[in-house]
Amino acid sequence: MTHKNLALVLGGGGAAGNAWMIGVVAGLAEAGVDLTEIADLVIGTSAGANAAAQVRSGTPPAALLAATLAPPPVQTASQPRPPSPPRPMEAVFEQMRTISAAATSQAELQRAMAAYGLASDASFGPEIAEQRRALVARRLPSHAWPERPMLIVAVNAETGELATFDRESGVELVDAATAAISLPGAGPTHSINGTRYVSGGVRSVDNADLATGYRNVIVLSPFSGRTGPLPPGQFEGLRRPPGADLASEVEVLRNEGSRVEVITPDADSRAAMGVNQMDLATRIPSARAGYEQGKREAARLANL
């Protein structure tokens, strides 16, 4: 497989989406398309930020898949535990739906979501932020930024503006990855050097437009391929103003000369991912389905 200037975009999608993307990467590698080797840039949003760190860790795709398929370790008293949200998640998603329905532009949506995140901070004690960061640290293959380019996407909670982190940003990888999964209202915003951040999924599920300038772009998007309404209560399924959806981002890239290939869950993968992609129980079936799909998808990437 020959390539030039290839960017890999890994979108948001919860626990199921993360596992599905690792499965796809492993399946593609099995069929001769190893994105861990050929991608010149990896961009990660929300759950895709963790997947990006996995892909850039130097771990072979088969080993990444094996780790994803392994049963979760027995929890001990000394290990960080997932913080329990102080409110039902449906209330959080309902507030997000209200915000997205009222927004008339993407910039307005980002500011409103960021403000919601900040307003919710009072509901969380400092131990919640500490527990979440510790969990992210435990899940990352390495706490050091990779040598090869990787971009993690967040949103500045104080301004609503795009924020990106990379090796040169002066931000620890654990903090960047924690900011990337900081869902407004579901947990506290994440503070980095005195500035607070929320998930880059507030701006876009995939943020594929950040791959501008690359000749070839491959997008793994756990949510964007679904037809009809998304399952209720899914953050990445919120209504997006025109221009903030994946189709619009792909159109921009193609108009600027990029060849773009988008991989979304096929029917078997959607069935494996279920209706609650944040459920940890979906990880193993999603990874298996993604692996099989990845093997089938390799042919159309062969000429990149």
Side-chain angles (χ1 to χ4, degrees):
M1 176 179 182
T2 60
H3 74 282
K4 183 178 181 181
N5 294 333
L6 192 153
L8 172 62
V9 177
L10 302 174
N18 173 277
W20 173 79
M21 288 185 284
I22 294 303
V24 170
V25 168
L28 288 170
E30 176 71 18
V33 183
D34 189 350
L35 296 178
T36 68
E37 292 292 334
I38 65 176
D40 297 297
L41 170 69
V42 180
I43 300 171
T45 298
S46 192
N50 187 278
Q54 291 171 285
V55 167
R56 274 297 196 232
S57 67
T59 306
L64 292 175
L65 177 63
T68 304
L69 293 175
V74 176
Q75 193 80 38
T76 66
S78 63
Q79 290 176 321
R81 297 179 179 275
S84 299
R87 60 173 68 84
M89 284 302 297
E90 179 51 38
V92 174
F93 291 128
E94 182 58 36
Q95 180 61 28
M96 289 181 173
R97 287 191 286 270
T98 299
I99 291 171
S100 74
T104 58
S105 69
Q106 182 58 28
E108 182 181 343
L109 175 61
Q110 289 173 213
R111 288 193 296 270
M113 283 288 194
Y116 173 48
L118 287 174
S120 301
D121 276 352
S123 302
F124 303 96
E127 73 282 356
I128 301 297
E130 295 169 3
Q131 290 171 4
R132 185 174 60 188
R133 188 182 188 279
L135 279 168
V136 170
R138 182 161 59 91
R139 291 170 178 167
L140 290 179
S142 169
H143 293 177
W145 282 95
E147 294 289 338
R148 301 175 67 195
M150 179 176 76
L151 198 66
I152 289 180
V153 187
V155 165
N156 185 316
E158 297 164 13
T159 65
E161 296 174 344
L162 168 69
T164 58
F165 303 112
D166 62 13
R167 183 179 177 84
E168 306 302 323
S169 64
V171 171
E172 291 187 19
L173 177 57
V174 173
D175 285 307
T178 305
I181 64 164
S182 295
L183 188 69
T189 58
H190 188 64
S191 179
I192 302 176
N193 298 328
T195 301
R196 308 204 72 84
Y197 297 91
V198 293
S199 169
V202 164
R203 177 181 185 266
S204 166
V205 182
D206 305 290
N207 290 292
D209 58 308
L210 299 182
T212 297
Y214 282 79
R215 184 181 299 274
N216 298 294
V217 181
I218 297 173
V219 183
L220 304 188
S221 181
F223 271 110
S224 295
R226 290 180 181 263
T227 58
L230 288 164
Q234 297 292 323
F235 171 49
E236 289 85 352
L238 296 175
R239 183 190 68 82
R240 301 283 176 174
D245 59 295
L246 179 58
S248 299
E249 294 171 355
V250 168
E251 182 180 8
V252 169
L253 290 170
R254 288 175 175 160
N255 287 341
E256 295 184 357
S258 297
R259 175 180 171 182
V260 185
E261 295 289 348
V262 178
I263 299 176
T264 58
D266 60 15
D268 289 342
S269 292
R270 289 196 300 271
M273 295 164 86
V275 297
N276 181 6
Q277 293 184 235
M278 295 184 182
D279 183 356
L280 293 177
T282 63
R283 285 183 57 79
I284 290 177
S286 297
R288 287 176 175 156
Y291 173 68
E292 296 299 330
Q293 182 179 352
K295 290 189 289 185
R296 295 190 293 270
E297 298 280 4
R300 67 182 171 111
L301 305 183
N303 293 324
L304 287 179

